[in-house]
Each structure stands twice: as C-alpha cells, then as structure tokens.
Amino acid sequence: QVQLVESGGGLVRPGGSLRLSCAASGILFSDNVVDWYRQAPGKERELVAAITRRGSTSYAESVKGRFTISRDDLKNTIYLQMNSLKPEDTAVYYCNAIRYNAIGVALQSTWGQGTQVTVST
C-alpha cells in the first residue's frame, strides 16, 4: 500500500525555522516528482516547492530563498527546510508524489495527510 506521512509541523515564532519530513512506503521518491503544497484557511491549495527525479528543484516566489526542498534516497524521505518563517506561511503542508511515464503522462498521484505549521507570536 502506498502511503506518505508528513511530520515536523508545529508552532513557531516569526523568523524561526522548521523542517518538515515526508516519509514514503510503497513507492520510491527517486521514481517520482515530489511536491510540497500548502493550504491556509479559506484559501486554495498552492504549490510551494518541487523536486524532480533528477533532483532539480523549484520554488514559489513567496518562499524562494527561505525554503529548501531536498531528498534522502537512503531514507526515502523528502524534506522541506523552512527558514525566516512569516505569519503568512501558516497553513497545512502536504507532500504529493507523482509518477510519470516516459512521455510525461501522470500514472499515479499520492498525497500525505498534511502537517500543520503555525507562525505566530
């Protein structure tokens, strides 16, 4: 059974840091494109960061320079290091793994259950 489990969320003061983890069972992250999304109350889910099978990364403008996505193939885990956190970063953060075929068609998409990040004084 394919499952993604996020962890590492919590309450942090503005300017602080958190590291989120997304652990997988049933799939290999190295075979997938993996994204971190977030959804704040009353807002649509937005893409925050992504890492390709080759390890290339991309970020939303709102987090560029503050967040870093990385992958540990030995642990089959994806991380999102979040620095200089702002109140507007408050949201539930989700990881999503998508496996594509050779011509770029998505074959399988798996979501985690989410982890809450709250940035507040």
Side-chain angles (χ1 to χ4, degrees):
Q1 182 179 359
V2 179
Q3 188 175 18
L4 304 183
V5 178
E6 299 100 332
S7 61
L11 173 64
V12 63
R13 294 183 182 276
S17 298
L18 283 175
R19 188 177 78 158
L20 306 184
S21 300
C22 177
S25 58
I27 61 169
L28 291 177
F29 277 140
S30 56
D31 291 338
N32 288 260
V33 174
V34 184
D35 307 316
W36 281 100
Y37 282 80
R38 67 185 180 187
Q39 187 166 22
K43 294 187 177 181
E44 294 188 354
R45 192 171 294 191
E46 64 170 338
L47 179 62
V48 174
I51 186 165
T52 70
R53 288 175 292 180
R54 294 184 177 182
S56 299
T57 59
S58 58
Y59 301 91
E61 283 297 322
S62 59
V63 307
K64 201 171 289 185
R66 301 188 296 124
F67 290 11
T68 303
I69 187 171
S70 62
R71 188 179 72 213
D72 185 330
D73 290 340
L74 291 179
K75 296 182 178 180
N76 202 27
T77 299
I78 297 287
Y79 301 99
L80 185 68
Q81 178 67 44
M82 306 186 295
N83 299 328
S84 302
L85 282 162
K86 305 175 181 180
E88 51 264 42
D89 294 318
T90 296
V92 178
Y93 284 71
Y94 301 88
C95 66
N96 172 230
I98 307 173
R99 184 166 61 88
Y100 294 91
N101 67 9
I103 59 172
V105 176
L107 300 177
Q108 183 180 33
S109 176
T110 305
W111 289 87
Q113 83 290 349
T115 185
Q116 175 71 47
V117 171
T118 303
V119 185
S120 175
T121 56

